[in-house]
Amino acid sequence: MSRPNKVVVLNGPNLNLLGTREPEIYGSDTLEMIAERCRQLGDRAGIEVRFLQSNDEGKIVDWIQEAINTTSALVINAAAYTHTSVAIHDALRAYPGFKVELHISNSHLRESFRHVSYVAPAVDAVVAGLGARGYEHVIDLLADWFAQGKL
Ligand code: DQA
């Protein structure tokens, strides 16, 4: 059975403020601008890219669970929950598709409390420090893999 041609991109707390939140760290693109570019890349490759954001940890856990049978790949910027959430770690371990942890900044160059990730040991790949463009690079790669039947 072929995998669903859907990718979900989950975004955690305060990422709804992109564009105005600490632009020297996160840049000036809004989350909607990033989402639109990723959806367009997906459209060209015949993949549906669903972009979601919540400040609520439980909602992110629910979305990971919903993605289990409906998507082939999952990209997550868990934002601050990266550094605290065992619940998101556990939900990700239950997700069978390809999963990517993504951060706009390189958190290892920042405060020490950002050096620990509960997400990293539960995913296949980690992308950090490429700015907002990191999202597009990941979607582009996933689209290629989908076209090649690798996803
Ligand atoms: C972030 C890094 C996290 O440490 C921070 O809490 C965020 C954004 C990033 O994308 O660089 O909210 O995940």
Side-chain angles (χ1 to χ4, degrees), residues 13-83:
N14 301 305
L15 292 172
N16 53 314
L17 300 179
L18 284 181
T20 53
R21 171 194 182 202
E22 299 184 273
E24 65 287 1
I25 296 175
Y26 299 114
S28 54
D29 290 351
T30 64
L31 195 63
E32 187 45 38
M33 288 162 70
I34 299 167
E36 186 50 32
R37 293 200 296 261
C38 288
R39 283 191 291 260
Q40 281 176 12
L41 278 173
D43 281 352
R44 270 182 250 149
I47 288 180
E48 186 188 314
V49 178
R50 197 156 176 237
F51 226 88
L52 299 168
Q53 187 278 331
S54 180
N55 295 329
D56 179 341
E57 184 178 8
K59 206 163 191 177
I60 294 167
V61 169
D62 287 343
W63 284 336
I64 295 168
Q65 291 184 10
E66 281 166 30
I68 288 175
N69 292 315
T70 55
T71 63
S72 296
L74 180 153
V75 181
I76 182 163
N77 184 348
Y81 292 142
T82 305
H83 318 298

